[in-house]
Amino acid sequence: MSSELHLKNAEVANYKVQQIIDFKGNPLIEALPNILSPEEAFNGLSYFPEFDRQERTLPTHIRYHAILRLNRFFQPVMQHLDLEQRFSRLIRHGYISRNPLSPNFTASLSTGHNQLNGAKIKNDIRSTASSMTLMGFSGIGKTTAIERVLSLYPQLIIHKHPLNITQVVWLKLNCPHDGSLKSLCMDFFLKMDQLLGTNYLEKYGSKRNSISAMVTRMGQVARLHCVGALIIDEIQHLLASRDNNSEKMMNFFVTLVNEIGVPVMMIGTMRAKSVLQKDFRQARRGSGQGDMVWQQMKKDDDWDLLIESIWDYQWLNNKVDLTEGLNQTIYDESQGIVDIAVKLFALSQGRAIETGQETITPALIKKVARDDLKLVQPMLNALKDGRLSELEKYEDIMPMDIAEYLQHHQSKIDLRASIQKKKSLIAEQKKEVRISLVEKIMLTLINFDVDPLLAEKFTAKAINELPQSSEVEIVGRAMQLLAEAKNKKKINRTNEKDNKLKLVIDKGKKEQKSAYDALKEAGYIKMPQDDFAI
């Protein structure tokens, strides 16, 4: 990556007049965005994706894509404004002792350089950096919140002559799954290379470099590029570390804060509490920001604001207004865990589209929670029952991904629609074949001087009796049916005549006449001589 490329992704320093005496004359602080009021922070943190009501009329498979927009929705509440203000203080106060215009700054770089060369020199510059921790339940929105806060700051600021410094305002790393300090150092070098176009990973991240050498170089790179704050997420992974890696990493963070002067913010689930209390105590002594512990939201004004804001994002044919019953149901089924609440709202819409219900009801929300959030039910039940001590067992349980769920259920709908379409097509094709066959057989019968109406009638009967037979066989059967019908008609006519003669004879008997006389009088018997009468 060239230096020209990274300049395009950076912001050229725009120095602002500072009102706080400690911040005046420090270009690293003067180049930061202005300190925000709560109202400004609220507007800056908010993210409401675009929404068009006409999307509710779009086809099913299109609306599934729209629902994923909820992943980007962010409604700040009081705890987010508190986080923004704490981070603002963290990063600014960390720069006070690292003013590049101060002789102490050059001295600290020199100290770091000498340490790289093996000198046992300790930095005697008093650090103004501090640390803070953010702990909370999984899915409470810690990572999303800090990323929204970080979005208010440029990550790179270019200070031109005479400073010629590329300031890295913040760097966010994830704690390695195995809690390895070496992996963390390599990730640090990699992220710095991606930002700056440098080759620190190649120079310092090779396997032949020891952990202690990597740590020392990492500290010097942080000094050189004036890293404003280092954010370490998923700190609970230290619980999986071996060979005292947890203690080593925490000692390194203490060094970053106290000697190098880089503020450190740690984010983790409640499982990280034991690690932080045990191993991060030294760094926390200088903490001016305190610790933040985020538990589930209470059903108060903040909760109502969140649900009311998100409720407009409905892609169903039958939009439903938010009622207290719906609000309470979502709270009960999510227990105030924001991530679960948002995903439950999205998944309920997916289920409503899938089933054709096209509206949200309390019963639907409960069913979706029961069917699609099975993994988090133990955690939610512990919250409902107030068994907070049980929650540590479930801290790493997260609800299913919306996109994965919707893709799975969309494929079911698409497959169902495809099958139905294919069945309809096959039925149409069969119908066309049947019509064609009927026409051919009818034409054959008509050529045998069969009345067209009779030809149609007996063709249909023959095809129904022999659906898989050849055309010749069906024609033969139709002719046979026609002949049988004609014979039956003749018999019926004979029977009808016999019945009339019987009636005449029976009538004669009642009148005491012989059968011969009765038939003769009725005109059924003709005298032979009548044929010769003149």
Side-chain angles (χ1 to χ4, degrees):
M1 187 185 298
S2 67
S3 58
E4 293 181 359
L5 180 60
H6 88 258
L7 284 173
K8 295 179 182 178
N9 298 325
E11 183 178 293
V12 177
N14 175 26
Y15 304 108
K16 305 166 188 69
V17 177
Q18 300 296 302
Q19 297 174 299
I20 303 295
I21 296 176
D22 296 330
F23 300 163
K24 291 182 178 180
N26 188 329
L28 300 179
I29 298 176
E30 292 176 341
L32 295 176
N34 289 322
I35 298 173
L36 300 179
S37 67
E39 293 77 13
E40 291 169 333
F42 182 90
N43 293 332
L45 293 173
S46 299
Y47 187 82
F48 304 121
E50 292 186 23
F51 179 78
D52 185 349
R53 293 180 181 179
Q54 296 299 319
E55 290 179 331
R56 292 173 181 153
T57 63
L58 293 173
T60 295
H61 62 287
I62 301 295
R63 284 185 286 152
Y64 264 93
H65 286 269
I67 293 175
L68 294 178
R69 207 175 300 156
L70 286 171
N71 278 331
R72 305 196 300 273
F73 173 88
F74 189 82
Q75 170 66 68
V77 294
M78 289 305 298
Q79 63 187 19
H80 300 134
L81 301 182
D82 184 19
L83 175 64
E84 187 279 327
Q85 291 180 359
R86 293 191 192 210
F87 185 80
S88 177
R89 296 192 295 267
L90 181 81
I91 197 167
R92 284 173 170 81
H93 284 268
Y95 275 135
I96 291 177
S97 63
R98 291 188 290 157
N99 189 337
L101 299 179
S102 166
N104 290 337
F105 181 77
T106 305
S108 67
L109 290 179
S110 176
T111 298
H113 179 72
N114 291 332
Q115 287 175 340
L116 288 176
N117 293 326
K120 302 293 183 179
I121 303 174
K122 192 169 184 179
N123 194 341
D124 60 355
I125 298 173
R126 180 171 176 80
S127 170
T128 56
S130 60
S131 63
M132 66 176 290
T133 58
L134 172 58
M135 293 180 290
F137 297 148
S138 294
I140 204 66
K142 304 180 296 296
T143 300
T144 302
I146 191 60
E147 287 177 351
R148 289 302 302 161
V149 171
L150 295 178
S151 72
L152 301 176
Y153 295 83
Q155 192 166 11
L156 284 182
I157 299 178
I158 305 298
H159 299 265
K160 296 185 176 180
H161 185 77
L163 290 177
N164 295 323
I165 291 175
T166 302
Q167 176 186 0
V168 177
V169 179
W170 56 267
L171 192 69
K172 180 175 178 290
L173 306 175
N174 282 339
C175 182
H177 286 277
D178 58 358
S180 165
L181 182 54
K182 190 167 188 175
S183 297
L184 184 75
C185 291
M186 293 176 68
D187 192 27
F188 173 86
F189 294 136
L190 175 62
K191 293 286 176 59
M192 294 295 281
D193 288 346
Q194 291 171 343
L195 282 172
L196 303 167
T198 51
N199 63 341
Y200 290 131
L201 180 61
E202 182 181 344
K203 289 168 63 176
Y204 306 138
S206 64
K207 292 182 179 180
R208 65 176 179 272
N209 289 328
S210 64
I211 293 179
S212 60
M214 280 189 183
V215 167
T216 303
R217 285 177 168 83
M218 183 175 168
Q220 182 66 354
V221 169
R223 281 196 194 99
L224 185 63
H225 294 289
C226 305
V227 175
L230 187 63
I231 298 95
I232 311 295
D233 202 355
E234 307 293 353
I235 199 67
Q236 70 275 4
H237 290 162
L238 286 179
L239 294 172
S241 64
R242 300 176 182 176
D243 302 327
N244 293 323
N245 274 344
S246 169
E247 185 176 350
K248 290 177 184 177
M249 191 174 291
M250 285 302 177
N251 287 336
F252 168 63
F253 292 147
V254 171
T255 301
L256 275 180
V257 174
N258 292 342
E259 296 185 24
I260 300 173
V262 178
V264 174
M265 179 179 182
M266 303 199 136
I267 304 173
T269 64
M270 302 299 278
R271 292 179 61 205
K273 187 176 180 180
S274 58
V275 177
L276 294 174
Q277 286 182 337
K278 175 185 175 182
D279 298 320
F280 205 37
R281 190 170 299 144
Q282 294 181 57
R284 288 170 53 200
R285 284 186 308 186
S287 174
Q289 314 313 322
D291 298 332
M292 301 185 74
V293 178
W294 287 3
Q295 298 186 21
Q296 75 269 38
M297 292 182 68
K298 297 179 180 178
K299 194 176 181 306
D300 53 16
D301 291 341
D302 276 354
W303 172 265
D304 290 341
L305 175 63
L306 171 69
I307 299 303
E308 287 168 8
S309 298
I310 202 174
W311 201 256
D312 285 333
Y313 290 88
Q314 291 185 48
W315 287 273
L316 304 176
N317 293 163
N318 304 316
K319 178 183 179 293
V320 61
D321 293 332
L322 179 62
T323 63
E324 179 56 31
L326 287 165
N327 189 337
Q328 186 66 50
T329 301
I330 288 187
Y331 185 82
D332 291 341
E333 297 303 328
S334 68
Q335 283 299 297
I337 304 295
V338 177
D339 183 73
I340 295 178
V342 173
K343 288 180 178 177
L344 187 57
F345 180 59
L347 297 177
S348 295
Q349 292 193 54
R351 179 69 65 86
I353 293 174
E354 176 194 349
T355 59
Q357 183 173 332
E358 292 291 351
T359 193
I360 297 176
T361 64
L364 177 69
I365 294 171
K366 291 178 182 178
K367 182 169 178 55
V368 169
R370 185 170 61 252
D371 294 346
D372 300 322
L373 298 178
K374 293 178 181 177
L375 290 178
V376 293
Q377 287 305 315
M379 182 178 76
L380 296 176
N381 289 332
L383 284 171
K384 288 178 184 178
D385 299 339
R387 294 178 288 114
L388 300 183
S389 60
E390 294 289 307
L391 291 175
E392 289 188 3
K393 299 178 182 178
Y394 315 115
E395 275 304 309
D396 293 327
I397 298 176
M398 290 294 292
M400 66 166 48
D401 180 72
I402 297 179
E404 181 182 343
Y405 170 88
L406 292 179
Q407 182 179 359
H408 171 67
H409 285 264
Q410 178 187 343
S411 63
K412 283 174 60 179
I413 291 179
D414 290 347
L415 181 60
R416 189 182 305 148
S418 298
I419 292 173
Q420 189 60 42
K421 185 177 180 180
K422 193 167 185 179
K423 286 170 67 176
S424 299
L425 183 61
I426 292 172
E428 286 295 324
Q429 290 174 344
K430 285 184 176 179
K431 187 176 179 182
E432 291 176 4
V433 170
R434 182 183 175 90
I435 291 172
S436 175
L437 183 62
V438 168
E439 289 175 347
K440 288 181 180 179
I441 295 174
M442 278 184 63
L443 186 59
T444 302
L445 295 179
I446 290 171
N447 288 336
F448 283 116
D449 295 326
V450 177
D451 181 88
L453 292 177
L454 294 176
E456 181 180 11
K457 177 181 178 181
F458 291 107
T459 295
K461 283 187 175 182
I463 291 175
N464 288 335
E465 288 185 11
L466 306 172
Q468 306 298 328
S469 300
S470 67
E471 184 179 332
V472 175
E473 290 175 324
I474 294 174
V475 169
R477 179 55 181 160
M479 295 293 289
Q480 184 181 358
L481 290 171
L482 182 62
E484 289 174 356
K486 286 181 178 180
N487 291 333
K488 190 175 182 180
K489 192 172 183 181
K490 287 180 180 179
I491 293 171
N492 287 340
R493 284 177 179 174
T494 302
N495 290 338
E496 185 179 346
K497 185 177 180 180
D498 291 344
N499 290 336
K500 287 182 178 180
L501 294 176
K502 187 174 185 302
L503 289 173
V504 172
I505 294 171
D506 289 342
K507 185 179 179 183
K509 284 183 179 179
K510 290 180 181 179
E511 297 175 356
Q512 295 183 345
K513 295 178 183 178
S514 66
Y516 177 84
D517 291 336
L519 291 172
K520 180 180 178 183
E521 289 180 8
Y524 286 99
I525 296 177
K526 199 174 182 182
M527 296 300 293
Q529 59 267 28
D530 289 345
D531 291 332
F532 303 100
I534 301 176

